[in-house]
Amino acid sequence: MKVTNPILPGYYPDPSICAVGEDFYLVNSTFTYFPGVPIFHSKDLKNWTQIGNVLTRKSQVSLDDQWHSGGIFAPSIRYHDGTFYMITTNVGGGGNFYVTATDPAGPWSEPYFLEGADGIDPTLFFDENGKAYYVGQRANSNGEAYWGDCEIWIQELDLKAGILLGNSRVLWRGSMNPSNWVEGPHLYRIGDYYYVMIAEGGTGFEHSVTIARSKELFGEYESCPRNPIVTHRHLGKNYPIINTGHGDLVQDKNGEWYMVLLASRPKQGYCNMGRETFLVKVEWEDGWPVVNPGLGIITDEIEVPLEEQEQTYHNHCYHFYEETWDPHFIFLHNPDEAAYEVLPEQGILRLHARKETIDDLVSSTYVGVRQQHHRFQASTRLTCNIVEGEEAGMAIVQSNEYYLTVTVVKEGNKTYLKALMRNNEESIELGKEEIMSRPLEIIVSGQDQVLSIRYKQDGKEQVLAQNINTNSLSTEVAGGFVGCTIGMYITSKGRESDSFADFNWLSYTGL
């Protein structure tokens, strides 16, 4: 069976994976999007179904007043003795914590925040003696000699009480001299060795995966002489897959080994989709992992000797005939639930206007899905009940400072459809046309880094704007750690309002 990369296209960074019998479970970072930490299931490593989200309640995750790439960093999923554990960092909302579940689809427990767990990117390790350990990243305990001078540390953990025990110990400070941004650790016991595998070199072009081993848990860890065991930084910035790093190992039921890891697929040097999840084959030589032997890099396809399972069909046209939310939908920060009203008997999502906008570091009335393709088409159909100064329609969001809106606006006694691009402090009008005050379909089409916007009313389709350069909707321009999302949006722009807009669907299709 051939598996095509990426296995999770679009904004799905920092993958972590565990195997339970024949089943694989995978989670990703979500930063300040809610719900937090999507969880996927697969039996063949090819076909993945999102079975839910781990952090579905505000009591589990506080995201307001954090910058767009704050929030939830680098989750790790592990299974032990009948219980699933997800441990992660909320960088501006309490620090490092874990939640538990007996069913990975949820519900998951309230968080156990860990006092004294400095740094980010935690993982859990269960040793053969039954003890549990916290493993994380923090600033060099001998003093930071430079920005990015970090170390990987370990401490025993009482999982029932949610407290660290004893003293912490340093495991490793990375393979380079000096190392830069040693982070994203995972600890394994494989054969006669303990292995600590990390991300090194930062989250951008110099990203990599390195590994070390020791025969004693608290012994001296020997750096693999072949480090980094995978990176793409030597392939040049024009290679079609870059930013490769942050991996997690998993073994299937037949004893075969794999690694999930992140990377980006740029177009014309820009990554609008952020960092995505890829899969590589791993073999062992002389007690060290070798990634895709003979190649050493991520490939477009890999051969996986597992039986292919029937693919679960995912409908990319989201309708609103049920009150439950599709797990692919995400919101900005902690959403005001009263702003989202599903009317299943009418097949309508009613978004209520709130004063917040996408610019704010609290939740505006926005709900969307991830951009997953370089070439795509997204559309929605809406009916607006707004007044002058308000707007409702679609948005493509890279961050609170870099986004694009296509919205219905009222000016005097006229109604317009207007497209705007926000590039940091600059707001650029892309197109504006007078329309009738009745149902309207908005259609956004992306061709690599070029966007076109059309609209349809009374069966007649017209162009609003075309040949829009979207390079600014990339991490190279906007910074941060996320990718673009596309969704439905309404705002009263700073004032209290009773206005709303009714949406019949949100469609997203890769071309």
Side-chain angles (χ1 to χ4, degrees):
M1 176 187 65
K2 289 189 182 299
V3 174
T4 301
N5 273 315
I7 56 171
L8 292 180
Y11 153 51
Y12 290 108
D14 306 328
S16 177
I17 191 171
C18 72
V20 182
E22 298 182 351
D23 299 289
F24 300 96
Y25 299 95
L26 189 153
V27 295
N28 300 96
S29 296
T30 41
F31 301 96
T32 52
Y33 278 99
F34 182 94
V37 187
I39 182 163
F40 294 87
H41 169 259
S42 177
K43 285 184 175 293
D44 58 12
L45 296 171
K46 176 180 181 178
N47 299 300
W48 293 89
T49 300
Q50 186 173 347
I51 58 174
N53 294 279
V54 176
L55 306 175
T56 58
R57 306 183 298 277
K58 188 173 182 179
S59 59
Q60 294 172 303
V61 56
S62 177
L63 298 170
D64 285 344
D65 300 316
Q66 297 197 55
W67 76 296
H68 195 76
S69 286
I72 298 299
F73 278 27
S76 178
I77 187 168
R78 294 295 183 258
Y79 176 81
H80 179 71
D81 196 22
T83 299
F84 289 89
Y85 297 84
M86 191 285 297
I87 187 167
T88 188
T89 312
N90 187 343
V91 295
N96 293 303
F97 69 94
Y98 63 92
V99 291
T100 65
T102 53
D103 181 350
W108 291 72
S109 72
E110 291 299 299
Y112 295 84
F113 281 93
L114 296 171
E115 185 177 349
D118 298 331
I120 60 172
D121 293 8
T123 190
L124 295 175
F125 173 68
F126 298 91
D127 206 355
E128 294 172 350
N129 61 9
K131 290 185 176 182
Y133 294 89
Y134 174 100
V135 182
Q137 177 259 32
R138 67 187 178 194
N140 192 326
S141 55
N142 291 334
E144 292 178 86
Y146 51 89
W147 178 242
D149 184 10
C150 308
E151 65 190 18
I152 304 302
W153 64 284
I154 187 171
Q155 192 166 345
E156 189 178 346
L157 174 61
D158 183 331
L159 284 167
K160 290 184 178 180
I163 57 174
L164 297 170
L165 304 175
N167 297 317
S168 69
R169 296 170 182 258
V170 177
L171 281 185
W172 198 33
R173 292 195 172 102
S175 66
M176 302 293 112
N177 186 21
S179 290
N180 187 45
W181 293 115
V182 168
E183 56 192 7
H186 292 294
L187 186 64
Y188 316 91
R189 178 66 187 265
I190 303 170
D192 295 331
Y193 289 95
Y194 294 92
Y195 291 86
V196 58
M197 191 172 77
I198 66 171
E200 204 170 330
T203 60
F205 182 70
E206 287 76 26
H207 212 23
S208 67
V209 177
T210 60
I211 197 166
R213 70 185 185 188
S214 172
K215 288 194 173 181
E216 302 293 333
L217 179 60
F218 300 126
E220 183 175 351
Y221 279 75
E222 167 197 8
S223 179
C224 175
R226 305 160 188 168
N227 276 326
I229 57 173
V230 62
T231 187
H232 282 199
R233 63 192 181 202
H234 60 297
L235 300 175
K237 293 186 177 181
N238 292 324
Y239 196 73
I241 303 173
I242 61 172
N243 305 339
T244 301
H246 200 110
D248 195 7
L249 293 169
V250 71
Q251 188 179 28
D252 71 13
K253 63 181 181 180
N254 301 319
E256 300 288 330
W257 285 89
Y258 306 88
M259 182 195 299
V260 291
L261 69 169
L262 67 78
S264 302
R265 293 178 295 156
K267 281 293 181 182
Q268 290 92 52
Y270 296 92
C271 300
N272 290 37
M273 292 183 290
R275 300 169 300 157
E276 310 171 277
T277 294
F278 292 75
L279 181 75
V280 294
K281 190 78 173 64
V282 172
E283 295 184 7
W284 294 82
E285 294 181 1
D286 305 321
W288 295 111
V290 178
V291 171
N292 281 344
L295 297 169
I297 59 174
I298 295 173
T299 54
D300 292 337
E301 292 182 335
I302 65 169
E303 188 69 33
V304 173
L306 291 172
E307 182 180 352
E308 183 170 1
Q309 303 296 306
E310 183 178 353
Q311 184 173 4
T312 301
Y313 176 70
H314 173 51
N315 185 356
H316 289 283
C317 189
Y318 303 88
H319 291 277
F320 305 103
Y321 295 109
E322 297 180 2
E323 291 186 357
T324 56
W325 287 97
D326 188 289
H328 293 86
F329 275 127
I330 49 179
F331 307 79
L332 293 168
H333 304 275
N334 291 107
D336 176 2
E337 293 183 7
Y340 305 86
E341 185 181 4
V342 179
L343 304 173
E345 67 282 357
Q346 301 175 48
I348 285 172
L349 171 63
R350 177 166 292 175
L351 296 187
H352 293 272
R354 296 291 184 265
K355 61 184 179 180
E356 294 79 14
T357 69
I358 296 171
D359 306 69
D360 298 317
L361 294 180
V362 293
S363 189
S364 56
T365 307
Y366 170 84
V367 57
V369 295
R370 292 162 174 84
Q371 179 186 337
Q372 296 186 280
H373 306 83
H374 291 114
R375 300 183 176 188
F376 68 91
Q377 180 170 292
S379 68
T380 191
R381 185 175 187 267
L382 74 155
T383 305
C384 292
N385 180 7
I386 61 175
V387 299
E388 188 166 0
E390 302 175 338
E391 57 183 85
M394 292 186 73
I396 302 178
V397 179
Q398 169 59 230
S399 76
N400 62 301
E401 296 177 331
Y402 293 87
Y403 59 85
L404 182 151
T405 58
V406 188
T407 53
V408 178
V409 299
K410 293 286 185 73
E411 295 180 5
N413 60 357
K414 294 185 177 181
T415 303
Y416 296 92
L417 183 65
K418 183 166 64 174
L420 287 175
M421 176 84 80
R422 164 90 189 268
N423 291 341
N424 199 3
E425 299 298 325
E426 184 181 20
S427 184
I428 305 167
E429 185 173 299
L430 304 171
K432 181 179 178 181
E433 294 288 343
E434 185 177 358
I435 59 171
M436 305 299 292
S437 296
R438 50 178 174 259
L440 170 79
E441 184 176 345
I442 301 171
I443 306 158
V444 177
S445 300
Q447 294 286 330
D448 297 335
Q449 295 304 105
V450 177
L451 200 72
S452 66
I453 302 168
R454 293 168 287 137
Y455 65 98
K456 184 186 295 185
Q457 201 166 40
D458 296 334
K460 183 179 179 181
E461 185 172 296
Q462 299 186 65
V463 174
L464 178 66
Q466 55 188 345
N467 298 321
I468 303 166
N469 185 300
T470 63
N471 291 347
S472 63
L473 302 181
S474 67
T475 51
E476 285 73 17
V477 176
F481 309 123
V482 304
C484 283
T485 61
I486 302 171
M488 302 162 288
Y489 174 56
I490 188 172
T491 178
S492 61
K493 302 185 75 171
R495 55 189 170 190
E496 299 299 328
S497 174
D498 295 324
S499 298
F500 61 87
D502 289 340
F503 293 80
N504 297 94
W505 73 77
L506 178 67
S507 175
Y508 174 89
T509 306
L511 301 177

